[in-house]
Every structure is written in C-alpha cells, then in structure tokens.
C-alpha cells in the first residue's frame, strides 16, 4: 500500500484542494499533496522539473505544511521525512507502509480559508518586497486544530530529483587552484570568524524540515563548556545510522555555530550528495590515474574471515571512484569513493569503513584544506605514539600565553582532573599536542584523551584541551552507568566495536596501565618528570614550520613538508550546494601511507601498516623498526 494514498486521505486531499481553489483569499491554483504515505526519499522526478511555480500545501496528521513558488515541494517532502521518527521512516522506507487511522476532519471552509490567506500573504510579500529569508526560503506549518502558525526555513536538498542540483563528477572539475587567503586575525587560521558565516541554525535544526536533524540540544549540565549536540540519521541498508554533531565553546551561540559547521561537514562527507560519481572500474584498469587503496591501509585477513560479507580489496575488483586532486603532483586523481565518502551505502562497494578523518570545512578552499591536513597529521601522530608506546615530552600548560587555556586548566582541576599535554610530533614539523585529563583520585572516569594540530602550538594545545574539557566532566557518570559493559570490553578487546567504546573504556581505572608509557614515561611517575614551556619546545627551527598569516602559503608549506617525506596530499572537494550558498567549503584530505584512525578493535589498520614499524625509528625515537610484540596491545583511546 506504500506509495498509494489511503482513500480516507485522498478524499480529504481532494476536498481541501477544492476548498482552497474556491476560497476568496486563494492565491490561485494550489497543489495539495499528502505526506507519510510513500517514501519521498526514493521517488524519482515528478512530471516537471525545477522549482515549483505555484503555492503548495502538504498535509499530514493535523498539520498543513505550506510553501510558495520560492520553495520546491519535493525538497520539503524529503526534508520532512528525514526528521521523522524511526517507526514512520522504517514503515515508509522498508516497504511495510502506513495506513490511515480514520477520516481526517480538516476539509472544512474556515481551515482552507486560513491556509489560503497565509499563502496569499506570503506570495504577495515575495512579489512586492522579495522573500527576505536570507539564503534559504521560508515555509510555514499550520496546526489545523489550533490555527497556530510556525515558520521554518528550508534548505534545498541537493539530492532532490526535481531540483537537479547535483553535478557530474569529472577530472576537470576536480582541479583545485589555491588562492591567497589571509587570516582575519593572527593565529586564527580562519579567513573570517564563525559569527560572519550567517548560519541560520533554525534552517539546519528544526523538527519540520531540519537539514541536520530535528533540533539542537544545549547541555546545561556541562560544568566546563557550553556544549551543544545535534543528530541526523541516514539509512544504511535496513537500519538508520545516527550521525552526531556538536560544538563545545564558551557560549551556546558559538557552540551552535560550530556544531552546525560540523554537521554540514558530516553531511558532506557521508556520501556524494552534491556530485554524481561516474567512474566504476578496477584499479588494474585505471592504473596510475587512480589512488591505490592498499597504500591507505586494509584490514588483516583475520577480519575478513570473521566478516565474510566484507569482501577484501582486489586490484581486479570493480568499485566506484570519485575525482580528487593531488596537490603534490598537481593533477586530478581518482580516489575510491568509500575512502572519502565514508557513509556510501552498499556493502558490495565496501572493503574498509572509513571515518571523517581529514574532512574539514572552512570559509575558503584553502582554509578547509589546511584544517583537513592538520587533522590527518594529528591522527597519524597520535596513533604512532599510542601503538608505538612512545614516551613524549610533556608540556607545561602554565606556559601558555592564552589566558583562556590557563583558566580552563584551572576549571578542570576544580572538578578533580589534572590536564596534561604532550608534544606528539613524530615525522612532520607541525605542532601536534596530545591532551589527557587524569582523574586525580583514580576513580571512574580515570582518563580522557584529545588532540590538536596547528602551525601555532598554542592553537594545537587549545584544540586538545577543548576536547577533554567537555568529555572529562561527563565521562565518570557514563562509566558508572555503563560499567558492566565497559568492564567486559576491558577483559576482551574484541568487544570494543564502535567509536564511543574507545574513549569510554579508558574511563575504567584498570585501563590506565595501558597509558603508563605516556603518563609515567621513563621516570616511573610524573612527579619528577620535566615539563617544557611551549616557547622552548616549539621555538623556530627545522622542527617547527612558521605560520605565515595566509592559509594558501601555510598549505603550500605543509604540503611541501609532507611531500619531502615521500607522501602525497590528495584533496576531494565535498562541498554541498547549501554550503556554497553560505560561502563555505568542505574537503576530504587524504595522505596515502599515513596511519588511518579506525574504530572497533578488529578493524584497526594502523598496526599492520609499514609506517607503524618504521616511523619511530626514522624519527630517531627507536634504534630499530618495531616488531609486533613492541606494539601497545590495547585499543587506542581517541574520541
């Protein structure tokens, strides 16, 4: 029955449409449809393509969702369905369908007159004054029981079959040209502050048609930062995959802006929404025109034997590819779609499960590439240090020149945590800082980890601190609530399956011994361990690239440093149309050969890659290459 309008609703729809057309306040011919009776996300193009030319009303429950010619009804229907509850979405998207609970009583003249008057007023306003909605048009929700009217902004859906906003993917479109991108202030590494992005948070998080989910939650219980969190769901086979986003700044307004930016980054990186991949071939067929995914790391054979549905990569296997651009070689390069769009559906195309590592957004292409590259370098260094059990120089946060950093360290101390920081540079002359919040009494919530990378060591330390500041004060409660499951993980690492398992299991006091190499170093305890001032460890020289104040120059210097160690830097532009409307860019940065971050103990690629064996020795931190028995036997704690 899914796809067919129930007779009760079809009668109401037809009668309501007739009343609208005959209403004295009607704006003209109005299209009336019904929501919740068919899967809007799988429907093909309608009878005509492009924007709607007439007002439209979409009915569901006791609501009427209205839009004018400035809004696409298909986009609205798709966004509406995407923020529905799981029960309704499963019924619509998995084929069981829905049915009417009775005949709706809303096809009456005074309700139709109210909706018609709203549409007419809105249409006349647009004709006389313009929509004045900012980058995204407004739609209205009329409660047919109370006549209460709500206003929401609609972000057009790039995958909408009627709007045709996706573009073909080809080599010429992949070519990137880096242009001057001066920072808006020294040390910001942003071309403008987030307050100037003009992000309409209500367009991205609202219960009617939110592009990033039904809402954003303010964590009013957070003792350290004004944290916010939101979530959207994408279907992956038979289940809906939750994708969380959020921000943790000093104000909820700033956290909302940061969170929306992260949510857009997640939406852009999950799958190719703004482009249409057109290449499906084998690596053997493509040759040097393509990136060999084996260089990026593959799962060990033991994983595939335990998970036979995940077929190992083979050079002769046909897979989908997208176009990227090599900044080292200055040429377009095909990249396996699954390595950059990590939520791409279809197990038949999957041989690894990538994450958002290297995906970043910015107010310019150069800004996005810089932050994506910093993230890749940061994760690689963290994993080298963790699995290689490298004793790292400790930093003194009191030496920070940023008062906010020192104040946050004090704030954590008030809640029983010592914030500790370690210089994690291994291969590249880019400051990387590992941050650890250590619970002083050794109780639940024992350890919390974070990291940051930046050409400015103060910014790298602050980024790591920001991560632990939010998580540390919450982790003890989560460990106490979920103690039995976490203790089972500590006894059997095979039970560490998901992203959140990795940091949470280190809330158990018994897991702290796996981090003793870092926290105790060669001294057996940190009481006598020297702590270095930031200015001392990061003084100008061959181990610290200077920041230039222009992100293009910063990117070019970093690419040259990475290329000097024998690695390429490949960029895939993931920018969505709705991001371009706001002047934003999102990219995925890959550095083939650096260690990738994975979640789930049996999915770890890093310990099996050549770089894991050789990097510490090449950096002068080991006398020989590492052997399997030298590696940390415990999962990484990265959040």
């Amino acid at each position: 029955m899914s796809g067919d309008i129930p007779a009760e609703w079809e009668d109401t729809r037809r009668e309501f449409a007739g009343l609208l057309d005959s209403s004295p306040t009607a704006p003209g011919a109005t299209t009336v449809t019904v929501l919740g009776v068919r899967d809007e996300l799988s429907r093909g193009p309608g009878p005509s393509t492009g924007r709607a030319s007439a007002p439209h009303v979409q009915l569901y429950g006791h609501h009427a969702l209205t839009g004018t010619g400035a809004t696409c009804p298909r986009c609205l229907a798709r966004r509406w369905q995407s923020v529905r509850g799981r029960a309704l979405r499963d019924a619509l998207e998995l084929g069981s369908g829905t049915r009417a609970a009775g005949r709706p009583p809303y096809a009456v003249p005074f309700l139709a007159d109210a909706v018609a008057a709203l549409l007419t007023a809105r249409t006349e306003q647009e004709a006389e004054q313009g929509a004045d909605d900012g980058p995204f048009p407004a739609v209205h929700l009329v409660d047919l029981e109370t006549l209460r009217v709500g206003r929401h902004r609609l972000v057009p859906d790039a995958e909408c079959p009627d709007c045709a906003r996706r573009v073909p993917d080809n080599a010429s479109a992949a070519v990137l040209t880096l242009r001057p991108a001066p920072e808006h202030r020294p040390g910001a590494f942003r071309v403008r502050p987030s307050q100037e992005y003009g992000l309409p948070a209500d367009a991205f998080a609202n219960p009617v048609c939110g592009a990033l989910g039904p809402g954003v939650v303010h964590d009013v219980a957070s003792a350290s930062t004004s944290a916010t969190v939101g979530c959207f769901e994408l279907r992956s086979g038979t289940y809906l995959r939750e994708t969380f986003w959020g921000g943790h700044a000093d104000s909820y307004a700033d956290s909302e802006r940061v969170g929306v930016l992260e949510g857009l980054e997640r939406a852009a990186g999950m799958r190719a929404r703004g482009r249409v991949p057109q290449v499906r071939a084998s690596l053997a067929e493509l040759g040097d025109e393509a990136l060999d995914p084996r260089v990026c790391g593959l799962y060990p054979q033991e994983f595939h034997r335990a998970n036979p549905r995940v077929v190992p990569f083979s050079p002769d296997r046909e897979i989908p590819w997208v176009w990227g651009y090599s900044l080292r070689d200055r040429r377009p390069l095909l990249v396996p779609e699954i390595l950059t769009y990590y939520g791409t559906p279809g197990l038949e195309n999957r041989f690894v499960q990538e994450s958002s590592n290297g995906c970043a957004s910015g107010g310019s292409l150069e800004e996005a590439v810089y932050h994506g590259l910093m993230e890749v370098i940061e994760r690689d260094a963290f994993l080298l240090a963790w699995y290689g059990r490298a004793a790292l120089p400790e930093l003194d946060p009191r030496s920070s020149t940023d008062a906010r950093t020192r104040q946050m360290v004090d704030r954590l101390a008030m809640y029983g945590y010592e914030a500790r920081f370690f210089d994690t540079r291994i291969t590249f002359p880019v400051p990387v800082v590992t941050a650890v919040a250590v619970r002083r009494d050794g109780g639940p919530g024992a350890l919390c980890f974070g990291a940051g990378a930046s050409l400015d060591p103060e910014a790298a330390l602050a980024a790591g601190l920001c991560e632990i500041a939010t998580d540390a004060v919450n982790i003890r409660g989560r460990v106490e609530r979920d103690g039995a499951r976490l203790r089972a993980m500590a006894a059997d690492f095979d039970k560490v399956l998901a992203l959140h398992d990795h940091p949470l299991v280190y809330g158990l006091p018994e897991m702290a011994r796996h981090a003793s190499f870092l926290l105790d170093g060669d001294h057996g305890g940190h009481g006598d361990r020297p702590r270095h001032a930031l200015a001392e460890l990061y003084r100008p020289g061959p181990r610290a690239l200077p920041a230039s104040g222009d992100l293009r120059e910063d990117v070019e210097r970093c690419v040259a440093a990475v290329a000097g160690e024998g690695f390429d830097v490949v960029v895939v532009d993931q920018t969505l149309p709705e991001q371009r409307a706001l002047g934003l860019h999102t990219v995925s940065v890959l550095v083939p050969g650096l260690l990738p971050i994975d979640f789930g103990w049996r999915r770890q690629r890093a310990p099996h890659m050549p770089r894991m064996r050789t990097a510490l020795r090449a950096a002068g931190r080991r006398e020989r290459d590492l052997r399997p028995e030298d590696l940390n036997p415990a999962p990484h704690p990265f959040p």
Side-chain angles (χ1 to χ4, degrees):
M1 188 172 101
S2 180
D4 298 326
I5 300 179
E8 300 93 334
W9 268 105
E10 173 56 23
D11 292 343
T12 298
R13 184 204 68 78
R14 187 173 54 252
E15 292 174 18
F16 199 89
L19 290 169
L20 277 176
D21 288 341
S22 60
S23 172
T25 60
T30 301
T31 303
V32 180
T33 56
V34 178
L35 294 171
V37 297
R38 56 193 172 196
D39 182 7
E40 302 290 348
L41 298 177
S42 66
R43 290 180 62 204
S48 62
T49 58
R51 292 283 183 204
S53 58
H56 49 92
V57 176
Q58 306 194 54
L59 303 172
Y60 68 98
H62 57 91
H63 292 118
L65 193 53
T66 71
T68 64
T71 58
C72 169
R74 182 68 63 84
C75 280
L76 181 55
R78 289 171 61 88
R79 293 293 193 200
W80 174 86
Q81 184 172 314
S82 294
V83 294
R84 295 307 100 201
R86 289 194 172 193
L88 178 57
R89 287 196 62 178
D90 283 347
L92 294 173
E93 297 165 23
L94 298 182
S96 62
T98 59
R99 61 189 179 91
R103 181 182 171 85
Y106 305 118
V108 292
F110 79 92
L111 291 178
D113 288 346
V115 171
L118 173 64
L119 286 169
T120 297
R122 179 65 178 171
T123 301
E124 290 176 351
Q125 179 192 31
E126 291 176 358
E128 295 174 4
Q129 306 171 11
D132 195 26
D133 294 321
F136 307 118
V139 295
H140 292 81
L141 180 71
V142 182
D143 188 321
L144 298 176
E145 291 184 348
T146 65
L147 286 185
R148 182 174 182 176
V149 178
R151 178 180 180 273
H152 303 277
R153 280 185 275 191
L154 171 67
V155 179
D157 187 340
E159 295 179 289
C160 174
D162 283 358
C163 287
R165 303 175 80 228
R166 300 175 78 192
V167 297
D169 183 37
N170 53 54
S172 60
V175 175
L176 300 181
T177 301
L178 299 181
R179 295 180 171 85
E183 302 172 32
H184 72 87
R185 64 171 173 79
F189 298 98
R190 299 286 182 184
V191 295
R192 62 184 188 274
S194 63
Q195 295 90 331
E196 295 183 8
Y197 287 143
L199 288 171
D202 61 315
F204 293 102
N206 73 70
V208 174
C209 55
L212 296 176
V216 57
V217 176
H218 293 182
D219 184 2
V220 296
S222 175
S224 55
T225 61
S226 301
T228 61
V229 65
C231 177
F232 62 87
E233 293 183 318
L234 285 178
R235 183 160 298 283
S236 180
T238 59
Y239 72 97
L240 285 167
R241 174 177 176 174
E242 290 181 320
T243 299
F244 289 93
W245 50 268
H248 33 83
D250 290 333
S251 73
Y252 290 115
D254 286 344
S255 293
E256 272 196 10
R257 281 190 290 269
V258 172
V260 168
L261 287 171
E262 183 175 81
L264 282 169
E265 177 189 303
R266 298 278 193 271
M270 289 291 287
R271 65 185 188 216
R273 297 171 184 239
R275 60 166 66 185
V276 182
Q278 297 180 312
V279 177
R280 185 177 183 86
S282 69
L283 178 64
E285 294 171 318
L286 298 174
D288 292 340
E289 196 178 21
L291 167 64
D292 188 340
R294 291 172 294 190
V295 182
C296 299
L298 300 175
Y299 295 144
Q301 289 302 315
E302 292 80 5
F303 171 85
H304 292 288
R305 283 195 287 268
N307 299 272
R309 294 181 64 208
V310 182
V311 180
F313 174 78
S314 166
D316 298 319
R317 176 181 171 186
E318 286 194 353
I319 58 173
W321 304 75
V322 295
W323 283 100
Y325 188 73
S326 166
L327 289 178
R328 181 192 66 181
D329 301 335
R330 300 183 184 277
R331 69 182 181 105
L333 189 70
L334 283 164
V335 176
E337 183 181 15
I338 197 61
L339 291 189
T340 184
Y341 290 104
Y342 51 93
T344 300
L347 194 61
E348 69 278 5
N349 299 322
R350 192 178 300 276
F351 48 87
V352 294
Q353 175 56 65
E354 268 296 353
S355 68
S356 62
N357 186 36
C359 294
S361 296
S364 72
L365 174 66
E366 298 75 19
E367 180 185 324
V369 172
Y370 169 82
H371 288 283
L373 181 55
M374 288 299 105
E375 187 168 279
V376 172
I377 291 173
E378 167 205 305
R379 308 292 169 79
D380 169 77
F382 185 94
L383 293 171
L384 285 171
W386 179 263
Y387 285 123
R389 293 192 281 198
L392 303 174
E394 186 162 2
L395 298 167
D396 183 1
R398 303 293 171 189
S399 69
S400 171
T401 60
D402 190 333
R404 294 169 300 178
T405 291
R406 300 192 301 272
Q407 291 163 3
M408 185 60 76
V409 169
D410 290 341
R411 195 180 303 177
L412 278 172
M414 290 173 56
Y415 292 95
Y417 281 92
E418 180 183 12
R420 299 178 64 186
F421 304 89
F422 302 88
D423 176 17
T424 318
R425 286 174 296 178
I426 304 294
T427 302
F428 308 111
V430 173
V432 178
V433 175
T434 293
V436 190
V438 183
R439 182 169 171 175
R440 285 173 167 162
D441 64 6
L447 299 177
C448 180
F449 291 80
S454 172
L455 291 185
D456 178 3
E458 292 274 3
L461 188 148
L465 174 60
C466 189
E467 289 187 344
I468 63 172
T470 298
D471 296 342
V473 296
N474 296 323
I475 194 172
R476 67 177 69 179
R478 297 181 69 180
V479 169
E480 290 169 351
R481 290 191 298 271
D482 208 11
R485 187 177 72 90
L486 294 175
R487 284 190 291 273
M489 291 182 199
D492 180 3
F493 293 149
D494 284 353
K495 290 184 169 64
V496 176
L497 301 175
L499 185 153
H500 296 296
D501 295 342
H502 284 261
L504 283 178
V505 75
Y506 283 90
L508 296 172
E510 57 265 36
M511 289 295 291
R513 62 188 177 90
H514 295 294
S516 62
F517 74 89
L518 177 64
L519 301 177
D520 299 337
D522 297 328
H523 301 273
H526 76 279
D528 300 326
R529 186 174 187 174
R531 295 191 178 188
H532 304 272
L534 272 74
E536 171 195 347
L537 275 186
Y538 296 107
R539 59 182 176 270
R543 294 202 66 224
L545 280 176
S548 71
D550 187 295
L551 287 160
R552 179 181 69 171
E553 189 171 340
D554 290 341
V555 168
E556 289 174 342
R557 288 177 178 177
C558 291
V559 170
V562 170
E565 297 292 337
F567 300 95
D568 196 1
V569 177
V570 181
V571 178
V572 177
D573 189 347
Q574 299 176 326
T575 308
L576 295 172
E578 53 262 42
Q579 292 176 302
R580 293 195 192 280
L582 297 168
L584 297 172
H585 301 259
T586 293
V587 300
S588 171
V589 177
L590 299 93
V591 181
L594 295 197
L595 301 187
I597 191 105
D598 288 306
F599 300 97
W601 179 234
R602 287 299 174 189
R603 292 181 179 270
Q604 298 302 301
R605 290 172 284 168
H608 308 283
M609 294 178 64
R611 178 165 169 77
M612 187 70 252
R613 299 192 300 270
T614 63
L616 292 178
R617 187 263 306 153
R621 293 178 176 271
R622 291 286 191 277
E623 294 182 354
R624 58 170 176 79
D625 288 351
L626 298 183
R627 303 186 182 106
E629 60 269 21
D630 298 324
L631 301 183
N632 195 330
H636 69 75
F638 201 86

